[in-house]
Amino acid sequence: MRTSFVFSEVVTGLRRNVTMTIAMILTTAISLFLLGVGLLIVRMVDKVQDNYQSKLEVSVLLTNDVSANDKDCAQQPCAGLRSALETTSGVETVVYENREKGYERFKQIFEAQPELVKLARPEAIPATFRVKLEDPERADVIVQAFSGKAGVKAVNDQGEFLGRLIDLFNGLRNGVLGFALIQALAALLLISNTIQVSAFTRRTEVGIMRLVGATRWYTQLPFLIEAVVAGIIGAVVGLGFLAAGAIGVTKMSGDLFSSQILPPMGLLDVVIVSPILLGVAVLISALTGYVTLRLYVRI
């Protein structure tokens, strides 16, 4: 009977303050949606690092005359550059890719973007040495040693590009989490105000219960459960937003994901972060409700 009474009071409280309850649910949903976006970005950064960290190379691009006239890298300065790269400390492998092979590689990478492939011409693709290092973080040694040498057009460190990409995602993550924090503060204030209003509207019946011997914890429990239930509903709504957003972004950015420039994010990733969002919703709602009842509500 006591359990039935508590839950009937919870339902009554949620229905009685329906507008504030809806506002609390939506605010919680938005804050948790933003938190979920931040967590998905963290997962994407981890996937990018896992996918590319072991594949990082230094690309030594050759000049146009070398690319056009030395298909097999048998003449100078191409042969000398290959020998120098192979004997450099820390170099694991050196692969020569002539202009034709480079063009085929370009078409494979961007096969999901046929318009870009049509615009490209083999003559625009330079012959390249693809250098794999034992320690990718020491790419600057190759960059400094071979930049400006005869036959070298440019030296590109893939790790530098990866670092810029990760910095971009980290900045986006920090911005999203900042908005999530602001929205979470609004949710906390709404939860606190909703509990205070709910307690005020039921002050007479709660007072009668206290007079007949009900403990303070027993009279406050329905208000605490109201906050937790609203938080859980908000988390479920936020997860719905997150799932819809993940599917929508994946479809709109299909070229990036299909070409494997970025790892795809889908419903599985949302499922993985969902326990965190539900746990945060329950914890914040319960703590806010408890503190509000202890500090501001005397029933």
Side-chain angles (χ1 to χ4, degrees), residues 21-37 228-246 270 274 277-278 281:
T21 299
I22 292 174
M24 182 169 60
I25 289 172
L26 291 177
T27 307
T28 303
I30 294 172
S31 62
L32 292 176
F33 166 75
L34 293 173
L35 175 60
V37 171
V228 173
V229 169
I232 292 174
I233 296 174
V236 172
V237 174
L239 285 171
F241 291 160
L242 194 63
V270 176
S274 59
L277 299 183
L278 288 170

Side-chain angles (χ1 to χ4, degrees), residues 188-206:
L188 294 181
L189 295 176
L190 268 175
I191 292 171
S192 179
N193 288 337
T194 302
I195 290 175
Q196 292 181 60
V197 170
S198 183
F200 180 78
T201 57
R202 284 184 278 174
R203 65 190 184 281
T204 302
E205 56 192 86
V206 171

Side-chain angles (χ1 to χ4, degrees), residues 50-71:
D50 291 341
N51 288 349
Y52 292 102
Q53 195 66 41
S54 61
K55 303 176 184 177
L56 292 179
E57 297 176 337
V58 176
S59 299
V60 181
L61 310 182
L62 304 183
T63 55
N64 187 59
D65 58 329
V66 175
S67 301
N69 301 320
D70 196 356
K71 181 178 180 180

Side-chain angles (χ1 to χ4, degrees), residues 101-154:
K101 290 182 179 178
Y103 182 62
E104 293 300 321
R105 179 188 179 94
F106 176 85
K107 290 194 294 184
Q108 289 177 1
I109 293 175
F110 295 98
E111 61 180 352
Q113 298 175 274
E115 297 83 4
L116 182 61
V117 174
K118 288 180 181 179
L119 291 174
R121 293 291 180 269
E123 296 78 16
I125 308 296
T128 305
F129 286 113
R130 301 199 173 277
V131 184
K132 186 173 179 59
L133 303 177
E134 296 174 359
D135 182 5
E137 295 184 358
R138 298 196 60 211
D140 57 322
V141 175
I142 301 296
V143 175
Q144 294 175 5
F146 288 88
S147 294
K149 278 198 169 187
V152 176
K153 180 179 181 181

Side-chain angles (χ1 to χ4, degrees), residues 261-288:
I261 295 175
L262 294 178
M265 303 298 291
L267 291 179
L268 179 60
D269 298 282
V270 176
V271 171
I272 291 173
V273 303
S274 59
I276 299 175
L277 299 183
L278 288 170
V280 169
V282 172
L283 182 63
I284 290 179
S285 301
L287 284 178
T288 305

